[in-house]
Coordinates of all heavy atoms in Angstrom, one line a residue:
M1 N 123.6 120.0 71.9 CA 123.7 121.0 73.0 C 124.9 120.6 73.9 O 125.0 119.4 74.3 CB 122.4 121.1 73.8 CG 122.6 122.1 74.9 SD 121.1 122.3 75.9 CE 121.3 120.9 77.0
V2 N 125.7 121.5 74.2 CA 126.8 121.2 75.2 C 126.3 121.4 76.6 O 125.6 122.4 76.9 CB 128.0 122.2 74.9 CG1 129.0 122.1 75.9 CG2 128.5 122.1 73.5
T3 N 126.5 120.4 77.4 CA 126.1 120.5 78.8 C 127.4 120.8 79.6 O 128.4 120.3 79.3 CB 125.4 119.2 79.3 OG1 126.3 118.1 79.1 CG2 124.2 118.9 78.6
I4 N 127.2 121.5 80.7 CA 128.3 121.8 81.6 C 128.1 120.9 82.8 O 127.1 120.8 83.4 CB 128.2 123.3 82.1 CG1 128.3 124.2 80.9 CG2 129.3 123.6 83.1 CD1 128.2 125.7 81.3
K5 N 129.2 120.1 83.1 CA 129.2 119.3 84.2 C 129.7 120.0 85.4 O 129.2 119.8 86.5 CB 130.1 118.0 83.9 CG 129.6 117.2 82.7 CD 129.8 115.8 82.9 CE 129.4 115.0 81.6 NZ 128.1 115.0 81.2
S6 N 130.7 120.8 85.3 CA 131.2 121.7 86.3 C 132.0 122.8 85.7 O 132.3 122.7 84.5 CB 132.0 120.9 87.3 OG 133.2 120.4 86.7
F7 N 132.3 123.8 86.4 CA 133.2 124.9 85.9 C 134.0 125.5 87.0 O 133.6 125.4 88.2 CB 132.4 125.9 85.1 CG 131.6 126.9 86.0 CD1 132.2 128.2 86.2 CD2 130.4 126.6 86.5 CE1 131.5 129.1 87.0 CE2 129.8 127.5 87.3 CZ 130.3 128.7 87.5
N8 N 135.1 126.1 86.6 CA 135.9 126.8 87.6 C 135.7 128.3 87.5 O 136.0 128.9 86.5 CB 137.4 126.4 87.3 CG 138.4 127.1 88.2 OD1 138.1 128.2 88.7 ND2 139.5 126.5 88.3
P9 N 135.1 128.9 88.5 CA 134.8 130.3 88.4 C 136.0 131.2 88.1 O 135.9 132.2 87.3 CB 134.2 130.7 89.8 CG 133.7 129.4 90.3 CD 134.6 128.4 89.8
A10 N 137.1 130.9 88.7 CA 138.3 131.7 88.4 C 138.8 131.6 87.0 O 139.1 132.6 86.3 CB 139.5 131.2 89.3
Q11 N 138.7 130.4 86.4 CA 139.1 130.2 85.0 C 138.1 130.9 84.1 O 138.5 131.5 83.1 CB 139.1 128.7 84.6 CG 139.4 128.5 83.2 CD 139.4 127.0 82.8 OE1 139.3 126.1 83.7 NE2 139.4 126.7 81.6
T12 N 136.8 130.8 84.4 CA 135.8 131.5 83.6 C 136.0 133.0 83.7 O 135.8 133.7 82.7 CB 134.4 131.1 84.2 OG1 134.3 129.7 84.2 CG2 133.3 131.7 83.3
Y13 N 136.3 133.6 84.9 CA 136.5 135.0 85.0 C 137.7 135.4 84.1 O 137.7 136.4 83.4 CB 136.8 135.3 86.5 CG 137.2 136.7 86.7 CD1 136.2 137.7 87.0 CD2 138.6 137.1 86.8 CE1 136.6 139.0 87.2 CE2 138.9 138.4 87.1 CZ 137.9 139.4 87.3 OH 138.3 140.7 87.6
I14 N 138.8 134.6 84.2 CA 140.0 134.9 83.3 C 139.6 134.8 81.8 O 140.1 135.7 81.1 CB 141.2 134.0 83.7 CG1 141.6 134.4 85.1 CG2 142.3 134.1 82.7 CD1 142.6 133.4 85.8
E15 N 138.8 133.9 81.5 CA 138.4 133.8 80.1 C 137.7 135.0 79.6 O 137.9 135.5 78.5 CB 137.6 132.5 79.8 CG 138.4 131.2 79.9 CD 137.6 130.0 79.9 OE1 136.3 130.1 79.9 OE2 138.2 128.9 79.9
G16 N 136.8 135.5 80.5 CA 136.1 136.8 80.2 C 137.1 138.0 80.0 O 137.0 138.8 79.1
M17 N 138.1 138.0 80.9 CA 139.1 139.0 80.7 C 139.9 138.9 79.4 O 140.2 139.9 78.7 CB 140.1 138.9 81.9 CG 139.5 139.3 83.2 SD 140.7 139.2 84.6 CE 141.8 140.6 84.2
L18 N 140.2 137.7 79.0 CA 140.9 137.4 77.8 C 140.1 137.9 76.6 O 140.6 138.5 75.6 CB 141.3 136.0 77.6 CG 142.4 135.5 78.6 CD1 142.6 134.0 78.6 CD2 143.7 136.2 78.4
W19 N 138.8 137.6 76.6 CA 137.9 138.0 75.5 C 137.9 139.5 75.4 O 137.9 140.1 74.3 CB 136.5 137.4 75.6 CG 136.4 136.0 75.2 CD1 136.3 134.9 75.9 CD2 136.6 135.5 73.8 NE1 136.3 133.8 75.1 CE2 136.4 134.1 73.8 CE3 136.7 136.2 72.6 CZ2 136.5 133.3 72.7 CZ3 136.8 135.4 71.5 CH2 136.7 134.0 71.5
A20 N 137.8 140.1 76.5 CA 137.8 141.6 76.5 C 139.1 142.2 76.0 O 139.1 143.1 75.3 CB 137.5 142.1 78.0
A21 N 140.2 141.6 76.5 CA 141.5 142.0 76.0 C 141.6 141.9 74.5 O 142.2 142.8 73.8 CB 142.6 141.2 76.7
Y22 N 141.1 140.8 73.9 CA 141.1 140.6 72.5 C 140.2 141.7 71.9 O 140.6 142.3 70.9 CB 140.6 139.2 72.2 CG 140.4 138.9 70.7 CD1 141.5 138.8 69.9 CD2 139.1 138.8 70.2 CE1 141.3 138.5 68.5 CE2 138.9 138.6 68.9 CZ 140.0 138.4 68.0 OH 139.8 138.2 66.7
G23 N 139.0 141.9 72.4 CA 138.1 142.8 71.9 C 138.5 144.2 71.8 O 138.3 144.9 70.8
V24 N 139.2 144.7 72.8 CA 139.7 146.0 72.8 C 140.8 146.3 71.8 O 141.0 147.4 71.4 CB 140.2 146.5 74.2 CG1 139.1 146.5 75.2 CG2 141.4 145.8 74.7
R25 N 141.4 145.2 71.3 CA 142.4 145.4 70.3 C 141.8 145.5 68.9 O 142.4 146.1 68.0 CB 143.4 144.2 70.3 CG 144.1 143.9 71.5 CD 145.0 145.1 71.9 NE 145.8 144.8 73.1 CZ 145.5 145.2 74.4 NH1 144.3 145.9 74.5 NH2 146.2 145.0 75.4
I26 N 140.6 144.9 68.7 CA 140.0 145.0 67.3 C 138.9 145.9 67.2 O 138.4 146.2 66.1 CB 139.6 143.5 66.9 CG1 138.5 143.0 67.8 CG2 140.8 142.6 66.8 CD1 137.9 141.7 67.3
I27 N 138.3 146.4 68.3 CA 137.1 147.3 68.2 C 137.5 148.6 68.8 O 138.0 148.7 69.9 CB 135.9 146.7 69.0 CG1 135.5 145.3 68.4 CG2 134.8 147.6 69.0 CD1 134.5 144.6 69.2
S28 N 137.3 149.7 68.1 CA 137.5 151.0 68.6 C 136.3 151.5 69.4 O 135.2 151.0 69.2 CB 137.9 152.0 67.5 OG 136.8 152.1 66.6
G29 N 136.5 152.5 70.2 CA 135.4 153.0 71.0 C 135.3 152.3 72.3 O 135.9 151.3 72.6
D30 N 134.4 152.9 73.1 CA 134.2 152.4 74.5 C 133.0 151.5 74.6 O 132.1 151.6 73.7 CB 134.1 153.6 75.5 CG 135.3 154.4 75.6 OD1 136.4 153.9 75.3 OD2 135.2 155.5 76.1
A31 N 133.0 150.7 75.6 CA 131.8 149.8 75.8 C 131.0 150.5 76.9 O 131.6 151.2 77.8 CB 132.2 148.5 76.3
V32 N 129.7 150.3 76.9 CA 128.8 150.9 77.9 C 128.3 149.7 78.7 O 127.8 148.7 78.2 CB 127.7 151.7 77.3 CG1 126.8 152.3 78.3 CG2 128.2 152.8 76.3
E33 N 128.4 149.8 80.0 CA 128.1 148.7 80.9 C 126.7 148.2 80.7 O 126.5 147.0 80.7 CB 128.4 149.1 82.3 CG 128.3 147.9 83.3 CD 128.9 148.2 84.6 OE1 129.4 149.3 84.9 OE2 129.0 147.3 85.4
W34 N 125.7 149.1 80.6 CA 124.4 148.6 80.4 C 124.2 147.8 79.2 O 123.4 146.8 79.1 CB 123.3 149.7 80.5 CG 123.3 150.7 79.4 CD1 124.0 151.9 79.3 CD2 122.6 150.5 78.1 NE1 123.7 152.5 78.1 CE2 122.9 151.7 77.4 CE3 121.8 149.6 77.6 CZ2 122.4 151.9 76.1 CZ3 121.3 149.7 76.3 CH2 121.6 150.9 75.6
Q35 N 124.9 148.1 78.1 CA 124.8 147.4 76.9 C 125.4 145.9 77.1 O 124.8 145.0 76.5 CB 125.6 148.1 75.7 CG 124.9 149.3 75.3 CD 125.7 150.1 74.3 OE1 126.9 150.1 74.4 NE2 125.0 150.8 73.4
I36 N 126.5 145.8 77.8 CA 127.0 144.5 78.1 C 126.0 143.7 78.9 O 125.8 142.5 78.6 CB 128.4 144.6 78.8 CG1 129.4 145.2 77.9 CG2 128.8 143.3 79.3 CD1 130.7 145.6 78.5
D37 N 125.3 144.3 79.8 CA 124.3 143.6 80.6 C 123.2 143.2 79.8 O 122.7 142.0 80.0 CB 123.9 144.5 81.8 CG 124.9 144.8 82.8 OD1 125.8 144.0 83.0 OD2 124.8 145.8 83.5
V38 N 122.7 144.0 78.8 CA 121.6 143.6 78.0 C 122.0 142.4 77.1 O 121.3 141.4 77.0 CB 121.2 144.7 77.1 CG1 120.2 144.3 76.0 CG2 120.5 145.8 78.0
V39 N 123.2 142.4 76.6 CA 123.7 141.3 75.7 C 123.8 140.0 76.6 O 123.4 139.0 76.2 CB 125.1 141.6 75.1 CG1 125.7 140.4 74.5 CG2 124.9 142.8 74.1
K40 N 124.3 140.2 77.8 CA 124.4 139.0 78.7 C 123.1 138.4 79.0 O 122.9 137.2 78.9 CB 125.1 139.5 80.0 CG 125.1 138.4 81.1 CD 125.6 139.0 82.4 CE 124.7 138.5 83.6 NZ 125.0 139.1 84.8
E41 N 122.1 139.2 79.3 CA 120.7 138.8 79.6 C 120.1 138.1 78.3 O 119.4 137.1 78.5 CB 119.8 139.9 80.1 CG 120.2 140.4 81.5 CD 120.2 139.3 82.5 OE1 119.3 138.4 82.5 OE2 121.2 139.2 83.3
C42 N 120.3 138.6 77.1 CA 119.8 138.0 75.9 C 120.5 136.6 75.7 O 119.8 135.7 75.4 CB 120.1 138.9 74.7 SG 119.1 140.4 74.6
A43 N 121.8 136.6 75.9 CA 122.5 135.3 75.7 C 122.0 134.3 76.8 O 121.8 133.1 76.4 CB 124.0 135.5 75.9
L44 N 121.8 134.7 78.0 CA 121.3 133.8 79.0 C 119.9 133.3 78.7 O 119.6 132.1 78.8 CB 121.3 134.5 80.4 CG 120.9 133.7 81.6 CD1 121.8 132.5 81.7 CD2 120.9 134.6 82.8
K45 N 119.0 134.2 78.2 CA 117.7 133.8 77.9 C 117.7 132.8 76.7 O 116.9 131.8 76.8 CB 116.8 135.0 77.5 CG 115.4 134.7 77.1 CD 114.7 134.3 78.3 CE 113.2 134.1 77.9 NZ 112.5 133.3 78.9
I46 N 118.5 133.0 75.7 CA 118.6 132.1 74.6 C 119.1 130.7 75.1 O 118.5 129.7 74.7 CB 119.5 132.6 73.5 CG1 118.8 133.8 72.8 CG2 119.9 131.5 72.5 CD1 119.8 134.6 71.9
K47 N 120.1 130.7 76.0 CA 120.6 129.4 76.5 C 119.6 128.7 77.3 O 119.4 127.5 77.2 CB 121.9 129.6 77.2 CG 122.7 128.4 77.5 CD 123.0 127.7 76.1 CE 123.9 126.5 76.3 NZ 124.2 125.9 75.1
E48 N 118.9 129.5 78.1 CA 117.8 128.9 79.0 C 116.7 128.2 78.1 O 116.3 127.1 78.4 CB 117.2 129.9 79.9 CG 118.2 130.2 81.1 CD 117.6 131.3 82.0 OE1 116.7 132.0 81.6 OE2 118.1 131.5 83.1
E49 N 116.4 128.9 77.0 CA 115.3 128.3 76.2 C 115.9 127.0 75.5 O 115.1 126.1 75.3 CB 114.9 129.3 75.1 CG 114.0 130.4 75.7 CD 112.7 129.9 76.4 OE1 112.1 129.0 75.8 OE2 112.4 130.4 77.5
E50 N 117.1 127.1 75.1 CA 117.7 125.9 74.4 C 117.7 124.7 75.4 O 117.4 123.6 75.0 CB 119.2 126.2 74.0 CG 119.9 125.1 73.3 CD 121.3 125.4 73.0 OE1 121.5 126.5 72.4 OE2 122.2 124.6 73.2
I51 N 118.1 125.0 76.6 CA 118.0 123.9 77.7 C 116.6 123.4 77.9 O 116.4 122.2 78.0 CB 118.7 124.5 79.0 CG1 120.2 124.7 78.8 CG2 118.4 123.5 80.1 CD1 120.9 125.5 79.9
E52 N 115.7 124.4 78.0 CA 114.3 124.0 78.2 C 113.7 123.1 77.1 O 112.9 122.2 77.4 CB 113.4 125.3 78.3 CG 112.1 125.1 78.9 CD 112.1 124.5 80.3 OE1 112.9 124.8 81.2 OE2 111.2 123.6 80.5
H53 N 114.2 123.3 75.9 CA 113.7 122.5 74.8 C 114.5 121.2 74.5 O 114.4 120.6 73.5 CB 113.6 123.4 73.5 CG 112.5 124.3 73.6 ND1 112.6 125.6 74.2 CD2 111.2 124.2 73.2 CE1 111.5 126.2 74.1 NE2 110.6 125.5 73.6
S54 N 115.4 121.0 75.4 CA 116.3 119.8 75.3 C 115.6 118.5 75.8 O 114.5 118.6 76.4 CB 117.6 120.0 76.0 OG 117.5 119.9 77.4
S55 N 116.2 117.4 75.7 CA 115.7 116.2 76.2 C 116.1 115.8 77.6 O 115.9 114.7 78.1 CB 116.1 115.0 75.3 OG 117.5 114.9 75.2
L56 N 116.7 116.8 78.3 CA 117.2 116.6 79.7 C 116.0 116.5 80.6 O 114.9 116.9 80.3 CB 118.0 117.7 80.1 CG 119.3 118.0 79.4 CD1 120.0 119.3 79.9 CD2 120.3 116.8 79.6
T57 N 116.2 115.8 81.7 CA 115.1 115.7 82.7 C 114.9 117.1 83.3 O 115.8 117.9 83.3 CB 115.5 114.7 83.8 OG1 116.6 115.3 84.6 CG2 115.8 113.3 83.3
P58 N 113.8 117.4 84.0 CA 113.6 118.7 84.6 C 114.7 119.0 85.6 O 115.1 120.2 85.7 CB 112.2 118.5 85.3 CG 111.5 117.5 84.4 CD 112.5 116.5 84.0
T59 N 115.1 118.0 86.4 CA 116.2 118.3 87.4 C 117.5 118.7 86.6 O 118.2 119.6 87.0 CB 116.4 117.0 88.2 OG1 115.2 116.7 88.9 CG2 117.5 117.3 89.2
E60 N 117.8 118.0 85.6 CA 119.0 118.3 84.8 C 118.9 119.6 84.1 O 119.9 120.4 84.1 CB 119.2 117.2 83.7 CG 119.6 115.8 84.2 CD 119.6 114.8 83.2 OE1 118.8 114.8 82.2 OE2 120.4 113.9 83.3
K61 N 117.7 120.0 83.7 CA 117.5 121.3 83.1 C 117.8 122.4 84.1 O 118.5 123.4 83.7 CB 116.1 121.4 82.5 CG 115.8 120.6 81.3 CD 114.4 120.7 80.8 CE 114.1 119.9 79.6 NZ 112.7 120.0 79.1
E62 N 117.3 122.3 85.3 CA 117.5 123.3 86.3 C 119.0 123.4 86.6 O 119.5 124.5 86.8 CB 116.7 123.0 87.5 CG 115.2 123.3 87.3 CD 114.9 124.6 86.7 OE1 115.4 125.7 87.2 OE2 114.1 124.7 85.7
G63 N 119.7 122.2 86.7 CA 121.1 122.2 87.0 C 121.9 122.9 85.9 O 122.8 123.7 86.2
Q64 N 121.5 122.6 84.6 CA 122.2 123.3 83.5 C 122.0 124.8 83.5 O 122.9 125.6 83.3 CB 121.7 122.7 82.2 CG 122.4 121.3 81.9 CD 123.9 121.5 81.7 OE1 124.3 122.1 80.8 NE2 124.6 120.9 82.6
K65 N 120.7 125.2 83.7 CA 120.4 126.6 83.8 C 121.2 127.3 84.9 O 121.8 128.4 84.6 CB 118.9 126.8 84.0 CG 118.1 126.5 82.8 CD 116.6 126.7 83.2 CE 115.7 126.2 82.1 NZ 114.3 126.4 82.5
S66 N 121.3 126.7 86.0 CA 122.1 127.3 87.1 C 123.6 127.4 86.8 O 124.2 128.4 87.0 CB 121.9 126.4 88.4 OG 122.7 126.9 89.4
M67 N 124.1 126.4 86.2 CA 125.5 126.4 85.8 C 125.8 127.5 84.7 O 126.8 128.2 84.8 CB 126.0 125.0 85.2 CG 126.0 124.0 86.3 SD 127.5 124.1 87.2 CE 128.0 122.4 87.1
W68 N 124.9 127.6 83.7 CA 125.1 128.6 82.7 C 125.0 130.0 83.2 O 125.8 130.9 82.8 CB 124.1 128.4 81.5 CG 124.6 127.3 80.6 CD1 124.1 126.0 80.5 CD2 125.6 127.4 79.6 NE1 124.8 125.3 79.5 CE2 125.7 126.2 78.9 CE3 126.5 128.4 79.2 CZ2 126.6 125.9 77.9 CZ3 127.4 128.2 78.2 CH2 127.4 127.0 77.6
K69 N 124.1 130.2 84.2 CA 124.0 131.5 84.8 C 125.3 131.9 85.5 O 125.8 133.0 85.4 CB 122.8 131.5 85.8 CG 122.7 132.8 86.6 CD 121.5 133.5 86.4 CE 121.3 134.8 87.2 NZ 122.4 135.7 87.2
Q70 N 125.8 130.9 86.3 CA 127.0 131.2 87.0 C 128.2 131.4 86.0 O 129.0 132.3 86.2 CB 127.4 130.0 87.9 CG 126.5 129.8 89.1 CD 126.7 128.5 89.8 OE1 127.6 127.8 89.5 NE2 125.9 128.3 90.9
W71 N 128.2 130.6 85.0 CA 129.3 130.8 83.9 C 129.2 132.2 83.3 O 130.2 132.9 83.2 CB 129.1 129.7 82.9 CG 130.2 129.8 81.8 CD1 131.4 129.3 81.8 CD2 130.1 130.5 80.6 NE1 132.1 129.6 80.7 CE2 131.3 130.4 79.9 CE3 129.0 131.2 80.0 CZ2 131.5 130.9 78.7 CZ3 129.2 131.8 78.8 CH2 130.5 131.7 78.1
I72 N 128.0 132.6 82.9 CA 127.9 133.9 82.2 C 128.2 135.0 83.1 O 128.7 136.0 82.8 CB 126.6 134.0 81.4 CG1 126.8 135.0 80.3 CG2 125.5 134.3 82.3 CD1 125.7 135.0 79.2
D73 N 127.8 134.9 84.4 CA 128.0 135.9 85.4 C 129.6 136.1 85.6 O 130.1 137.3 85.6 CB 127.4 135.6 86.7 CG 125.9 135.8 86.8 OD1 125.3 136.4 85.9 OD2 125.3 135.3 87.7
E74 N 130.3 135.0 85.8 CA 131.7 135.1 86.0 C 132.4 135.6 84.7 O 133.4 136.5 84.8 CB 132.3 133.8 86.4 CG 131.9 133.4 87.8 CD 132.3 134.4 88.9 OE1 133.4 134.9 88.8 OE2 131.4 134.7 89.7
T75 N 132.0 135.2 83.6 CA 132.7 135.6 82.3 C 132.4 137.1 82.1 O 133.3 137.8 81.8 CB 132.1 134.9 81.1 OG1 132.3 133.5 81.3 CG2 132.7 135.3 79.8
T76 N 131.2 137.6 82.4 CA 130.9 139.0 82.2 C 131.7 139.9 83.2 O 132.2 140.9 82.9 CB 129.4 139.2 82.4 OG1 128.7 138.4 81.5 CG2 129.0 140.7 82.2
K77 N 131.8 139.4 84.5 CA 132.6 140.1 85.4 C 134.1 140.3 84.9 O 134.6 141.4 85.0 CB 132.7 139.4 86.8 CG 131.4 139.5 87.6 CD 131.7 138.7 88.9 CE 130.4 138.4 89.6 NZ 130.6 137.5 90.7
G78 N 134.7 139.2 84.5 CA 136.0 139.3 83.9 C 136.1 140.3 82.7 O 137.0 141.1 82.6
F79 N 135.1 140.2 81.8 CA 135.0 141.0 80.7 C 135.0 142.5 81.1 O 135.8 143.3 80.6 CB 133.8 140.6 79.9 CG 133.7 141.2 78.5 CD1 134.4 140.5 77.4 CD2 133.1 142.3 78.2 CE1 134.3 141.0 76.1 CE2 133.0 142.9 76.9 CZ 133.7 142.2 75.9
K80 N 134.1 142.8 82.0 CA 133.9 144.2 82.4 C 135.2 144.7 83.1 O 135.6 145.9 82.9 CB 132.7 144.3 83.4 CG 131.4 144.2 82.7 CD 130.3 144.4 83.7 CE 128.9 144.3 83.1 NZ 127.9 144.4 84.2
D81 N 135.7 143.9 84.0 CA 136.9 144.3 84.7 C 138.1 144.6 83.8 O 138.8 145.6 84.0 CB 137.4 143.3 85.7 CG 136.4 143.2 87.0 OD1 135.6 144.1 87.1 OD2 136.6 142.3 87.8
M82 N 138.2 143.8 82.7 CA 139.3 144.1 81.8 C 139.1 145.4 81.0 O 140.0 146.2 80.8 CB 139.5 142.9 80.8 CG 140.6 143.2 79.8 SD 142.2 143.6 80.4 CE 142.8 142.0 80.8
L83 N 137.8 145.6 80.6 CA 137.5 146.8 79.9 C 137.7 148.1 80.8 O 138.2 149.1 80.3 CB 136.0 146.8 79.4 CG 135.7 145.9 78.3 CD1 134.2 145.8 78.0 CD2 136.5 146.2 77.0
K84 N 137.4 147.9 82.1 CA 137.6 149.0 83.0 C 139.1 149.3 83.1 O 139.6 150.4 83.2 CB 137.0 148.7 84.3 CG 135.5 148.8 84.3 CD 134.8 148.4 85.6 CE 133.3 148.3 85.5 NZ 132.7 147.7 86.7
R85 N 139.8 148.2 83.3 CA 141.3 148.3 83.4 C 141.9 149.0 82.2 O 142.9 149.7 82.3 CB 141.9 146.9 83.6 CG 143.4 146.9 84.0 CD 143.9 145.6 84.4 NE 143.2 145.1 85.5 CZ 142.7 143.9 85.7 NH1 142.9 143.0 84.8 NH2 142.1 143.5 86.8
E86 N 141.4 148.7 81.1 CA 141.9 149.3 79.8 C 141.4 150.7 79.5 O 141.7 151.3 78.6 CB 141.6 148.4 78.6 CG 142.2 147.0 78.7 CD 143.7 147.1 78.2 OE1 144.0 147.9 77.3 OE2 144.5 146.3 78.7
G87 N 140.5 151.2 80.4 CA 139.9 152.5 80.2 C 138.9 152.5 79.1 O 138.7 153.6 78.5
R88 N 138.3 151.4 78.8 CA 137.3 151.3 77.7 C 135.9 151.1 78.1 O 135.0 150.9 77.3 CB 137.7 150.1 76.8 CG 139.1 150.2 76.2 CD 139.2 151.2 75.1 NE 138.4 150.9 74.0 CZ 138.8 150.1 73.0 NH1 139.9 149.5 73.0 NH2 137.9 149.9 72.0
M89 N 135.6 151.3 79.4 CA 134.2 151.1 79.9 C 133.7 152.5 80.2 O 134.2 153.3 81.0 CB 134.2 150.3 81.2 CG 132.8 150.2 81.8 SD 131.7 149.0 80.9 CE 132.5 147.5 81.3
A90 N 132.7 152.9 79.4 CA 132.1 154.3 79.5 C 131.1 154.3 80.7 O 130.5 153.4 81.0 CB 131.5 154.7 78.2

């Protein structure tokens, strides 16, 4: 399991934008915001369960969960903003 020691919210946001920019080039059609939110929540739940079943201490587990939540929130914001900018968010 990859653990996050720290992250840069601005860099994470930009990475989300880059993924969206890449996605709009290879996928036709629009994205629906609620679908992105559902995928985000599923990914977060899977990661939280992975962390929960790791050998980390309870304190480390909570720290990792918090970091992953912040990371996925910023990535998703960047992703959505790029889709909106490209006119691909329905």
